[in-house]
Amino acid sequence: MKSIVQLKAATSLSDVAHTIGFKPKSLSYLLYVMPPASRYTKFSIPKSSGGVREIWAPVPQLKLAQSRLSKHLQDCLHDIEAEQVIKQDCVLAHGFKRDLSIATNASNHVGRQWVLNIDLKDFFPSINFGRVRGFFIKNKHFNLHPDTATVLAQIICHDNQLPQGAPTSPVVSNLITGLLDIRLNKLAARSRSTYTRYADDITFSTNLSGFPENLAGPDPDGNWVLASRVHKRIKQSGFLVNSKKTRMQYRRSRQDVTGLTVNSEVGIKRERLKIARAQVDKLVRNGACHAHGEPKQPTSAASLQGQLAHIAWVKGRYVDYSRSDAHWKREPGYVRTYRKFLDYQSFVASPQPTIICEGKTDNIYLRCSINRIATAPANLADKSTPTGLGVRLFQFTDTTSWVQRLNGGTGDIKNFVDWYAERMRVLSATTFGSPVIIVVDNDSGAKKSGLNSLIKTKTKSKSPIDGTHDFYHVGQNLYLVHTPKTAKGGDTMIEDFLPVAVKSQKLKGKTLELDDSKFDPKKNYGKVPLAESIVKRQQEKINFTAFLPLLKRISKAIDHFDKSPFKA
């Protein structure tokens, strides 16, 4: 309970500021000098159910204070639940909590005979300054000093309510709604029903032959209304029910909880899958797509990617797709749709050349060398971008691993090259915005993996693919670049171009060892510490000139593409 103890010890604004790692003078200015109207920016976003939702975005300095306070209160809530030994399957509130989500909320109501959804009216606005301050003073877990509670309420509230858009509003709403959860869960338990809440969305479900009358029942017109005792408990807790959104869902019809279907498993509505697939198809064909039902309202790539990521996360929560299937065609439709989108964005429509390396550390070396070498090729640098690069370094993530089958290593790259033409055929791609350049070490890895042999087959080359050429045009916009050989024609890896003095440095008494067969974890450190702990941190002092020949090879591949018939 360390987090709560810190708050209990606070008796002033200065104490609160120190607790959340903020300067007292800065916090005082935000709360007592800055005009309330200047603390937030108001804007509206459309609701999925119609109408608009007003969002109050705090100014950066206030947002920082609220973010730190939110994290502290999340720690408090976590400590409280840990002390009460509340397991995840016994949690009542799933919204805005660590490791919990709409999916964990919905999973409590899978396969039920009856599912009742209730919506609380004006959820955030109904929690005012007095309720927030009073909670921190009277709650048995907090029991804070009145002055501390006042300062917290001043940080949290705006215009006498919880502002939607403030980082503190979600966790504070969970703290204050805890009493409501306990009261309604008791009613549910007595009726052999399950209760959960996600923000203002309350759900009761049961497998009884008839839905418990002490929770809800149909009126003479067949509309479901809550029992008086449920209304009473909600009103006692300081909330009201939005009766228009009360609905009962039967097993024989589609049941959904917090937007996810729960008839037999937690899933995505079929209409949503169809819409996402149609939007991706339109994006690939036309370079743009529109919001469903809004032909004049374009959908941003970021928004569409968020939808696809959500679908993939929900449908793939319990499936390990990391390396489960060697052939990408055999995967579920939603994975193929997501891949289609990511492939289009990464390899067809990218305005910058995309560089795919063998590992995450290689990106660090290329980024540093392009930024630090004054004579780096002009088509690799762009000072107007945040990174200073004129190219896009492909980032390996969990998503690229199981959706795009790219997680680094020559094995993945070989498969990528092998399937590339087919993946572009799926996209109907004949012209491209920029080239895709694969950069690999010129050592035994490219040979043993079969990558060099595959490139020879793809290019129908009569000469060996051994890295003696600056680049190899595999086809369409795809290129392969090897690290340059040594002066004597020997193999190289990208770390060979770092100064000896850099690779000779010790880390916590350990020395660098890049040969896996000789690596001893007690004595050695490897590629990742070298790149992240030495090169990245000391880049301003390192001479990257030896990388210039490699950069020139990449530059020549870009120049070749710019003159090719595949360029859009």
Side-chain angles (χ1 to χ4, degrees):
M1 305 290 282
K2 179 181 177 182
S3 299
I4 295 181
V5 170
Q6 288 178 312
L7 284 177
K8 285 185 174 182
T11 59
S12 64
L13 179 145
S14 180
D15 292 339
V16 172
H18 288 305
T19 299
I20 62 174
F22 220 75
K23 293 181 179 179
K25 187 176 181 180
S26 299
L27 185 60
S28 179
Y29 174 81
L30 287 171
L31 300 183
Y32 306 128
V33 179
M34 179 180 285
S38 302
R39 298 174 193 166
Y40 292 82
T41 300
K42 181 182 177 182
F43 61 93
S44 300
I45 59 174
K47 293 182 180 180
S48 58
S49 58
V52 296
R53 176 177 285 109
E54 291 185 347
I55 302 297
W56 294 88
V59 296
Q61 194 72 351
L62 178 57
K63 184 178 180 179
L64 177 61
Q66 290 177 335
S67 296
R68 291 181 178 178
L69 177 57
S70 174
K71 181 181 182 303
H72 196 88
L73 293 177
Q74 286 281 13
D75 291 339
C76 292
L77 185 55
H78 181 271
D79 290 345
I80 292 170
E81 293 184 345
E83 187 180 61
Q84 296 173 338
V85 197
I86 298 178
K87 298 179 181 179
Q88 182 168 313
D89 57 357
C90 299
V91 171
L92 303 179
H94 289 251
F96 322 120
K97 285 187 175 183
R98 296 167 185 167
D99 303 320
L100 298 176
S101 64
I102 58 173
T104 60
N105 180 64
S107 65
N108 287 273
H109 307 283
V110 171
R112 300 301 175 90
Q113 185 75 30
W114 308 85
V115 176
L116 176 69
N117 288 332
I118 304 169
D119 187 79
L120 296 179
K121 186 177 181 181
D122 299 328
F123 182 60
F124 282 114
S126 63
I127 301 176
N128 57 34
F129 182 94
R131 290 184 69 181
V132 174
R133 181 178 182 274
F135 171 83
F136 285 121
I137 294 173
K138 297 177 182 178
N139 181 266
K140 66 178 182 179
H141 297 292
F142 286 89
N143 194 23
L144 304 185
H145 188 282
D147 292 346
T148 299
T150 299
V151 173
L152 294 183
Q154 289 171 331
I155 296 172
I156 292 165
C157 296
H158 175 67
D159 197 21
N160 197 33
Q161 65 184 40
L162 288 188
Q164 292 193 63
T168 42
S169 294
V171 64
V172 172
S173 69
N174 272 338
L175 288 168
I176 290 180
T177 318
L179 181 59
L180 171 65
D181 294 331
I182 293 171
R183 287 170 170 169
L184 293 185
N185 187 56
K186 285 182 178 179
L187 290 180
R190 292 170 188 163
S191 307
R192 294 167 60 191
S193 302
T194 299
Y195 165 88
T196 64
R197 179 181 60 82
Y198 188 95
D200 58 353
D201 195 336
I202 290 173
T203 304
F204 290 97
S205 67
T206 184
N207 265 330
L208 296 174
S209 58
F211 195 78
E213 294 182 356
N214 66 332
L215 295 179
D219 64 12
D221 296 324
N223 298 313
W224 282 80
V225 294
L226 299 180
S228 59
R229 66 178 62 191
V230 176
H231 269 294
K232 183 179 180 181
R233 298 293 186 275
I234 293 174
K235 190 173 182 179
Q236 285 175 338
S237 303
F239 298 96
L240 296 174
V241 175
N242 185 349
S243 300
K244 295 180 181 179
K245 292 188 176 182
T246 299
R247 60 195 178 102
M248 176 63 74
Q249 301 170 96
Y250 310 95
R251 176 173 288 175
R252 63 178 179 270
S253 62
R254 185 176 68 188
Q255 299 169 318
D256 65 79
V257 175
T258 47
L260 303 177
T261 57
V262 294
N263 289 75
S264 57
E265 63 180 5
V266 176
I268 299 290
K269 295 178 182 178
R270 188 173 301 174
E271 297 93 324
R272 190 168 185 177
L273 295 172
K274 290 182 178 179
I275 291 170
R277 185 168 62 246
Q279 288 179 322
V280 171
D281 288 341
K282 288 181 180 178
L283 175 68
V284 169
R285 287 199 308 269
N286 308 323
C289 61
H290 299 84
H292 179 61
E294 297 288 343
K296 295 182 180 180
Q297 184 66 39
T299 295
S300 68
S303 174
L304 182 53
Q305 183 169 356
Q307 296 177 48
L308 294 168
H310 171 72
I311 291 170
W313 174 76
V314 171
K315 292 184 72 65
R317 285 176 67 234
Y318 304 111
V319 182
D320 179 14
Y321 287 117
S322 57
R323 280 342 215 194
S324 59
D325 189 346
H327 201 287
W328 60 278
K329 281 186 175 181
R330 298 176 187 170
E331 291 170 325
Y334 69 89
V335 178
R336 295 198 298 271
T337 297
Y338 198 5
R339 176 184 293 112
K340 192 174 183 179
F341 170 84
L342 293 176
D343 281 357
Y344 176 79
Q345 291 293 103
S346 301
F347 311 131
V348 177
S350 175
Q352 292 182 318
T354 298
I355 299 177
I356 303 175
C357 298
E358 289 185 80
K360 298 177 182 179
T361 58
D362 296 359
N363 285 358
I364 295 176
Y365 303 137
L366 290 181
R367 183 183 299 111
C368 291
S369 59
I370 293 171
N371 284 328
R372 304 307 304 175
I373 299 177
T375 57
N379 56 1
L380 301 186
D382 185 352
K383 299 303 180 184
S384 66
T385 64
T387 61
L389 304 181
V391 296
R392 173 179 174 266
L393 300 176
F394 190 85
Q395 303 292 321
F396 297 113
T397 65
D398 290 342
T399 299
T400 66
S401 176
W402 70 273
V403 178
Q404 292 182 283
R405 297 289 175 170
L406 277 169
N407 195 36
T410 51
D412 271 7
I413 289 175
K414 176 180 176 291
N415 289 333
F416 175 72
V417 172
D418 197 14
W419 302 338
Y420 191 77
E422 173 65 12
R423 286 166 76 156
M424 295 305 102
R425 188 195 65 77
V426 170
L427 298 174
S428 302
T430 55
T431 58
F432 305 84
S434 299
V436 176
I437 302 169
I438 297 171
V439 176
V440 297
D441 290 337
N442 196 357
D443 59 9
S444 60
K447 302 171 188 175
K448 292 180 179 179
S449 67
L451 175 61
N452 286 350
S453 298
L454 176 63
I455 297 299
K456 184 175 182 179
T457 302
K458 293 283 184 181
T459 59
K460 299 180 180 179
S461 173
K462 295 181 180 179
S463 304
I465 304 298
D466 56 5
T468 53
H469 289 227
D470 286 330
F471 62 84
Y472 299 92
H473 182 209
V474 183
Q476 298 175 298
N477 68 330
L478 186 63
Y479 293 79
L480 177 71
V481 169
H482 292 83
T483 56
K485 288 180 174 290
T486 66
K488 295 182 179 181
D491 290 351
T492 59
M493 64 175 65
I494 198 166
E495 288 82 6
D496 291 336
F497 305 107
L498 290 169
V500 174
V502 172
K503 294 183 288 185
S504 299
Q505 293 185 41
K506 291 187 176 183
L507 282 177
K508 298 180 180 179
K510 297 181 179 181
T511 57
L512 176 66
E513 180 53 71
L514 299 176
D515 188 340
D516 291 340
S517 64
K518 299 178 182 178
F519 188 84
D520 182 347
K522 295 181 180 179
K523 300 178 180 179
N524 306 126
Y525 66 89
K527 292 184 177 182
V528 174
L530 171 64
E532 295 184 348
S533 300
I534 296 179
V535 176
K536 190 175 181 179
R537 294 181 182 179
Q538 301 177 17
Q539 57 183 290
E540 294 182 1
K541 302 177 182 178
I542 296 174
N543 185 348
F544 290 95
T545 306
F547 283 85
L548 190 56
L550 174 59
L551 299 186
K552 287 182 177 179
R553 286 188 161 199
I554 297 172
S555 176
K556 289 178 181 179
I558 295 173
D559 289 338
H560 182 274
F561 170 79
D562 287 340
K563 299 174 184 177
S564 77
F566 298 104
K567 183 175 175 62

